[in-house]
Amino acid sequence: MESLLLLGFYILTFYAFLPGLISRIFGFRVFKRGKTKREIALTFDDGPDPTYTPQLLDLLARYDAKATFFVVGANAERHPDLLRRMKDEGHVIGIHNYVHKTNWFMRPATVKRQIHQTSEVIRKATGVRSSYYRPPWGIVNLFDFSNLGHLQIILWSAMFNDWRQRVGVKRLTKRLMKKLRPGEVLLLHDCGTTLGADEHAPAHMLEALETYLEEGKSRGYRFVHIEEMIEISDQMRARRFERLREQLEHPPKRPRIGLLKRIAVALWLGWERVFQVLFRVKPVKGDAIFHYRVRKYQGETLQLTDGEEIRKGDEVVELHLDNEKLFQTLSSSGSVIRMAIYVVREVGRAMPKLASELAGRPELDHVKGLYGISMINRGSQSFGFSTIDLPPGMFSRFTRIYLSLLLRVLHPGGGQRVREKKETLVPRIIAMSMTEFRRRYPVAATPGTRKRSADVSPSKTLPSQLEPLDKAARELTP
């Protein structure tokens, strides 16, 4: 008995659960969201309904909106006039099985027969065959991917529980408004006679949809059927690919840096070298991206995310990015995004090196944490840092001026970048307790060290950190 149950579990997993999961998460063989600038796709399931579908068609006509209707074959067979009206008014008709029953509980041959029956109903009423299929509840089985022939599976990016009358117009409208943005594929229902639905729920849907269409029209959105959405998405994808190919074949020339800029950079970097000598700022061994020094913290108490605190008078390891390396990266590419990706990779390599350098030094046992101030701080939590706003005051204003001036000097288009991203380029404190630092970046025990765990390869820190800092870098990209 146990073996039979286990066999049944395996069959259900591979026949139903895994195909559904793969199609949902990875979009394999399905379309569920578009890439557009101002188009939204409206789709309606379970109809046609003799009461609500004509009202819906009238509403769509008033707003010059096109939609896709995934019809249940049995309903469509009873109302071929509604199918003809859909086609005549420029809408697209898709298949939603002959009866509203999940594919999980039907054999492949049964699913195929359901699709064929519905396709024939559509062809007889309109003279054309459908090219689109949406399985009930969006559930596919293992054989759907090979069974469908020319049909494209269409899922959705947003659904609203609109088949339930108790949701009400107000809540339904609020949910719709959250999805008033390009590329969305909305799932709504123009019929409430299927199992689990409320017969008169479409009345609330129509009222909420009218408000949505009115607001969307005022904002310049277009409401399109799925065929146009796919075509626009394919065109945009092709243009992006073409731009990428052009960039690869014809890489941008290195930005030219004028004499005054070179003098300014040389003076600035010369001053930084003097600063490093005067204030005993040391490079992290192994050609790392930042330098450091140990000093007493003089600011307000920092409350860190792990519950630790850094108070005034506590000793901290103060971090300084190597601005000469940043300038070299910028001058070779002119791109802040490349600089930020470079910073991500180099910080990922430098943190274990810093941990190794600080390990086994008794004079640092009382250091409370790491501390620094940076404009590129979004995503630094992935390295273990807490990000804290600078308290308002003279120091905050001076720091903003200093770092803005630094970007102007280092970036070939820095002045423009500072003006365009004034709200984004906000310097913030990044800090981490030594407890958290040692937990995240342990080093191997060697003669002279007293307590450490297994060595950490720098490469292990990179994958999870690339995405958040790359996102932050895009906000600074020219």
Side-chain angles (χ1 to χ4, degrees), residues 46-51 53-54 71-86 93 121 125-126 191 193:
D46 299 356
D49 180 275
T51 300
T53 302
V71 299
V72 172
N75 293 341
E77 201 165 34
R78 290 191 291 270
H79 305 288
D81 55 318
L82 290 177
L83 296 189
R84 285 190 287 271
R85 183 180 170 187
M86 290 173 188
I93 304 172
V121 169
T126 66
C191 180
T193 60

Tab-separated table of all heavy atoms in Angstrom, residues 46-51 53-54 71-86 93 121 125-126 191 193:
chain	number	residue	atom	x	y	z
A	46	ASP	N	-13.988	31.842	-19.183
A	46	ASP	CA	-15.182	31.098	-18.772
A	46	ASP	C	-16.440	31.407	-19.576
A	46	ASP	O	-17.438	30.713	-19.434
A	46	ASP	CB	-15.497	31.288	-17.279
A	46	ASP	CG	-14.389	30.802	-16.379
A	46	ASP	OD1	-13.408	30.251	-16.899
A	46	ASP	OD2	-14.491	30.993	-15.154
A	47	GLY	N	-16.460	32.470	-20.374
A	47	GLY	CA	-17.649	32.810	-21.145
A	47	GLY	C	-17.769	31.949	-22.386
A	47	GLY	O	-17.077	30.937	-22.533
A	48	PRO	N	-18.634	32.396	-23.311
A	48	PRO	CA	-19.446	33.618	-23.198
A	48	PRO	C	-20.689	33.410	-22.337
A	48	PRO	O	-21.202	32.301	-22.215
A	48	PRO	CB	-19.817	33.896	-24.650
A	48	PRO	CG	-19.808	32.555	-25.312
A	48	PRO	CD	-18.743	31.758	-24.634
A	49	ASP	N	-21.152	34.514	-21.767
A	49	ASP	CA	-22.341	34.520	-20.925
A	49	ASP	C	-23.372	35.429	-21.597
A	49	ASP	O	-23.041	36.549	-21.994
A	49	ASP	CB	-21.980	35.064	-19.540
A	49	ASP	CG	-23.170	35.100	-18.606
A	49	ASP	OD1	-23.929	36.104	-18.649
A	49	ASP	OD2	-23.344	34.133	-17.832
A	50	PRO	N	-24.626	34.970	-21.736
A	50	PRO	CA	-25.619	35.762	-22.478
A	50	PRO	C	-25.966	37.093	-21.815
A	50	PRO	O	-26.435	38.020	-22.496
A	50	PRO	CB	-26.842	34.838	-22.521
A	50	PRO	CG	-26.647	33.888	-21.369
A	50	PRO	CD	-25.175	33.706	-21.238
A	51	THR	N	-25.719	37.211	-20.518
A	51	THR	CA	-26.043	38.458	-19.814
A	51	THR	C	-24.846	39.400	-19.774
A	51	THR	O	-24.939	40.565	-20.149
A	51	THR	CB	-26.508	38.162	-18.371
A	51	THR	OG1	-27.670	37.335	-18.415
A	51	THR	CG2	-26.818	39.467	-17.625
A	53	THR	N	-21.471	39.011	-21.088
A	53	THR	CA	-20.539	39.200	-22.206
A	53	THR	C	-20.971	40.335	-23.132
A	53	THR	O	-20.130	41.148	-23.539
A	53	THR	CB	-20.347	37.883	-22.985
A	53	THR	OG1	-19.865	36.868	-22.084
A	53	THR	CG2	-19.342	38.063	-24.120
A	54	PRO	N	-22.272	40.463	-23.488
A	54	PRO	CA	-22.670	41.621	-24.310
A	54	PRO	C	-22.386	42.956	-23.613
A	54	PRO	O	-21.962	43.916	-24.269
A	54	PRO	CB	-24.175	41.413	-24.511
A	54	PRO	CG	-24.371	39.946	-24.361
A	54	PRO	CD	-23.385	39.523	-23.308
A	71	VAL	N	-12.740	31.055	-24.204
A	71	VAL	CA	-14.112	30.575	-24.046
A	71	VAL	C	-14.151	29.107	-23.661
A	71	VAL	O	-13.299	28.308	-24.075
A	71	VAL	CB	-14.918	30.800	-25.338
A	71	VAL	CG1	-14.987	32.292	-25.669
A	71	VAL	CG2	-14.339	30.021	-26.511
A	72	VAL	N	-15.133	28.762	-22.853
A	72	VAL	CA	-15.437	27.367	-22.556
A	72	VAL	C	-16.295	26.854	-23.705
A	72	VAL	O	-17.325	27.460	-24.047
A	72	VAL	CB	-16.177	27.255	-21.214
A	72	VAL	CG1	-16.661	25.821	-20.989
A	72	VAL	CG2	-15.261	27.689	-20.069
A	73	GLY	N	-15.890	25.737	-24.320
A	73	GLY	CA	-16.550	25.256	-25.534
A	73	GLY	C	-18.048	25.050	-25.392
A	73	GLY	O	-18.814	25.398	-26.292
A	74	ALA	N	-18.465	24.494	-24.258
A	74	ALA	CA	-19.891	24.228	-24.062
A	74	ALA	C	-20.688	25.529	-24.033
A	74	ALA	O	-21.810	25.595	-24.571
A	74	ALA	CB	-20.097	23.450	-22.762
A	75	ASN	N	-20.147	26.577	-23.413
A	75	ASN	CA	-20.832	27.878	-23.402
A	75	ASN	C	-20.817	28.502	-24.790
A	75	ASN	O	-21.813	29.077	-25.244
A	75	ASN	CB	-20.151	28.824	-22.421
A	75	ASN	CG	-20.293	28.391	-20.979
A	75	ASN	OD1	-21.174	27.596	-20.647
A	75	ASN	ND2	-19.432	28.893	-20.118
A	76	ALA	N	-19.675	28.407	-25.464
A	76	ALA	CA	-19.558	28.998	-26.796
A	76	ALA	C	-20.504	28.335	-27.791
A	76	ALA	O	-21.051	29.001	-28.678
A	76	ALA	CB	-18.114	28.871	-27.275
A	77	GLU	N	-20.700	27.046	-27.644
A	77	GLU	CA	-21.583	26.310	-28.549
A	77	GLU	C	-23.021	26.808	-28.450
A	77	GLU	O	-23.762	26.805	-29.442
A	77	GLU	CB	-21.513	24.817	-28.224
A	77	GLU	CG	-21.950	23.912	-29.343
A	77	GLU	CD	-21.527	22.480	-29.098
A	77	GLU	OE1	-21.509	22.042	-27.921
A	77	GLU	OE2	-21.184	21.793	-30.080
A	78	ARG	N	-23.410	27.262	-27.259
A	78	ARG	CA	-24.772	27.764	-27.061
A	78	ARG	C	-24.933	29.208	-27.547
A	78	ARG	O	-26.058	29.669	-27.720
A	78	ARG	CB	-25.155	27.668	-25.574
A	78	ARG	CG	-25.360	26.260	-25.081
A	78	ARG	CD	-25.997	26.238	-23.697
A	78	ARG	NE	-25.087	26.727	-22.670
A	78	ARG	CZ	-24.253	25.944	-21.983
A	78	ARG	NH1	-24.214	24.644	-22.238
A	78	ARG	NH2	-23.465	26.447	-21.063
A	79	HIS	N	-23.822	29.934	-27.719
A	79	HIS	CA	-23.921	31.356	-28.069
A	79	HIS	C	-22.947	31.708	-29.201
A	79	HIS	O	-22.060	32.558	-29.037
A	79	HIS	CB	-23.629	32.220	-26.838
A	79	HIS	CG	-24.488	31.889	-25.668
A	79	HIS	ND1	-25.832	32.193	-25.608
A	79	HIS	CD2	-24.190	31.242	-24.500
A	79	HIS	CE1	-26.335	31.777	-24.458
A	79	HIS	NE2	-25.361	31.188	-23.760
A	80	PRO	N	-23.099	31.103	-30.370
A	80	PRO	CA	-22.181	31.405	-31.484
A	80	PRO	C	-22.272	32.866	-31.932
A	80	PRO	O	-21.314	33.405	-32.476
A	80	PRO	CB	-22.644	30.455	-32.593
A	80	PRO	CG	-24.070	30.131	-32.257
A	80	PRO	CD	-24.135	30.121	-30.758
A	81	ASP	N	-23.441	33.495	-31.697
A	81	ASP	CA	-23.596	34.901	-32.081
A	81	ASP	C	-22.610	35.795	-31.317
A	81	ASP	O	-22.104	36.783	-31.857
A	81	ASP	CB	-25.033	35.361	-31.827
A	81	ASP	CG	-25.476	35.110	-30.379
A	81	ASP	OD1	-25.169	34.025	-29.841
A	81	ASP	OD2	-26.109	36.008	-29.781
A	82	LEU	N	-22.334	35.449	-30.056
A	82	LEU	CA	-21.385	36.237	-29.263
A	82	LEU	C	-19.953	36.044	-29.774
A	82	LEU	O	-19.143	36.980	-29.753
A	82	LEU	CB	-21.489	35.867	-27.783
A	82	LEU	CG	-22.782	36.318	-27.086
A	82	LEU	CD1	-22.822	35.828	-25.641
A	82	LEU	CD2	-22.911	37.838	-27.125
A	83	LEU	N	-19.646	34.829	-30.233
A	83	LEU	CA	-18.321	34.602	-30.821
A	83	LEU	C	-18.150	35.444	-32.083
A	83	LEU	O	-17.080	36.043	-32.304
A	83	LEU	CB	-18.127	33.123	-31.145
A	83	LEU	CG	-18.127	32.124	-29.992
A	83	LEU	CD1	-17.707	30.744	-30.495
A	83	LEU	CD2	-17.201	32.562	-28.879
A	84	ARG	N	-19.190	35.490	-32.909
A	84	ARG	CA	-19.105	36.273	-34.138
A	84	ARG	C	-18.939	37.755	-33.815
A	84	ARG	O	-18.168	38.464	-34.476
A	84	ARG	CB	-20.344	36.046	-34.999
A	84	ARG	CG	-20.349	34.697	-35.712
A	84	ARG	CD	-21.443	34.593	-36.735
A	84	ARG	NE	-22.750	34.450	-36.108
A	84	ARG	CZ	-23.298	33.278	-35.776
A	84	ARG	NH1	-22.626	32.154	-36.008
A	84	ARG	NH2	-24.492	33.219	-35.215
A	85	ARG	N	-19.652	38.215	-32.788
A	85	ARG	CA	-19.521	39.627	-32.407
A	85	ARG	C	-18.101	39.918	-31.911
A	85	ARG	O	-17.520	40.961	-32.243
A	85	ARG	CB	-20.551	39.987	-31.337
A	85	ARG	CG	-20.486	41.464	-30.966
A	85	ARG	CD	-21.480	41.874	-29.918
A	85	ARG	NE	-21.179	43.233	-29.465
A	85	ARG	CZ	-21.789	43.852	-28.451
A	85	ARG	NH1	-22.774	43.239	-27.792
A	85	ARG	NH2	-21.424	45.073	-28.115
A	86	MET	N	-17.537	39.018	-31.101
A	86	MET	CA	-16.155	39.198	-30.634
A	86	MET	C	-15.207	39.379	-31.817
A	86	MET	O	-14.391	40.299	-31.847
A	86	MET	CB	-15.713	37.977	-29.809
A	86	MET	CG	-16.378	37.823	-28.461
A	86	MET	SD	-15.905	36.236	-27.711
A	86	MET	CE	-16.996	36.186	-26.295
A	93	ILE	N	-10.169	35.301	-29.906
A	93	ILE	CA	-10.850	34.229	-29.169
A	93	ILE	C	-9.858	33.090	-28.935
A	93	ILE	O	-9.187	32.626	-29.867
A	93	ILE	CB	-12.070	33.712	-29.948
A	93	ILE	CG1	-13.027	34.877	-30.252
A	93	ILE	CG2	-12.782	32.625	-29.151
A	93	ILE	CD1	-14.161	34.505	-31.188
A	121	VAL	N	-15.841	24.525	-32.428
A	121	VAL	CA	-16.955	25.440	-32.127
A	121	VAL	C	-16.589	26.853	-32.586
A	121	VAL	O	-17.393	27.555	-33.216
A	121	VAL	CB	-17.262	25.427	-30.613
A	121	VAL	CG1	-18.225	26.558	-30.245
A	121	VAL	CG2	-17.854	24.079	-30.196
A	125	ALA	N	-18.286	29.038	-35.822
A	125	ALA	CA	-18.959	30.318	-35.562
A	125	ALA	C	-18.287	31.478	-36.278
A	125	ALA	O	-18.962	32.412	-36.727
A	125	ALA	CB	-19.007	30.586	-34.064
A	126	THR	N	-16.958	31.444	-36.410
A	126	THR	CA	-16.218	32.621	-36.902
A	126	THR	C	-15.485	32.397	-38.224
A	126	THR	O	-15.050	33.353	-38.861
A	126	THR	CB	-15.179	33.063	-35.863
A	126	THR	OG1	-14.167	32.042	-35.732
A	126	THR	CG2	-15.826	33.307	-34.510
A	191	CYS	N	-18.076	35.373	-16.930
A	191	CYS	CA	-19.111	34.386	-16.645
A	191	CYS	C	-18.883	33.842	-15.244
A	191	CYS	O	-17.741	33.557	-14.867
A	191	CYS	CB	-19.069	33.259	-17.673
A	191	CYS	SG	-20.309	31.970	-17.419
A	193	THR	N	-20.700	31.054	-13.887
A	193	THR	CA	-21.454	29.807	-13.718
A	193	THR	C	-20.562	28.588	-13.513
A	193	THR	O	-21.078	27.481	-13.355
A	193	THR	CB	-22.350	29.568	-14.949
A	193	THR	OG1	-21.521	29.480	-16.114
A	193	THR	CG2	-23.358	30.700	-15.115
